Amino acid sequence: MNQFLLRISAIAAVSILVGTGVAWAQHALSGDEIARRFSDTRVDIVAHGKTGDTAMTLVFRPDGTVVSQRAGRADITGRWRIDERGLHCTQWETNKETCAQIVENPDGTYLRVHEAKVRATWRPAR
């Protein structure tokens, strides 16, 4: 799928505020914007999985490593990068790399959208 269609599907998947019919003014970040905003940053996230939501903190280091910190669990280290399409990619241990669009919401949160589904909600840690 080309970059334009991916961005359109990502925005369409998350742009309607349920119950009010009001469209949010969202912004799909470019690869450069993702790198500037999240390199050397702690991000509190809620991952939206098949079995429910999971809260954790991710630390995106400038060297391309990312650390997942979750209460009661050992830290997990992986890799992150921006691919040639401008998508945010992560790979954890031996899992397959996944790349997703990052969409900025007006309220300061970000959505990680993969295959037209919101996979996580991010909030930069204060």
Side-chain angles (χ1 to χ4, degrees), residues 6-99:
L6 185 60
R7 285 177 190 246
I8 294 298
S9 64
I11 292 169
V14 295
S15 65
I16 305 263
L17 182 59
V18 176
T20 66
V22 176
W24 283 22
Q26 295 177 311
H27 170 66
L29 299 182
S30 70
D32 288 341
E33 289 173 310
I34 295 167
R36 274 195 312 274
R37 292 183 193 194
F38 297 105
S39 182
D40 202 20
T41 302
R42 295 175 63 84
V43 179
D44 295 326
I45 77 162
V46 176
H48 310 297
K50 293 176 184 172
T51 60
D53 292 347
T54 304
M56 66 190 76
T57 298
L58 299 180
V59 180
F60 294 104
R61 296 180 177 153
D63 67 357
T65 58
V66 58
V67 178
S68 172
Q69 301 170 332
R70 221 168 120 189
R73 301 231 176 152
D75 291 356
I76 299 171
T77 301
R79 303 282 310 157
W80 78 279
R81 69 183 183 97
I82 306 301
D83 76 2
E84 64 282 352
R85 299 166 295 172
L87 299 178
H88 179 269
C89 302
T90 53
Q91 183 173 14
W92 298 100
E93 297 178 339
T94 59
N95 295 333
K96 179 181 170 189
E97 180 181 70
T98 60
C99 299

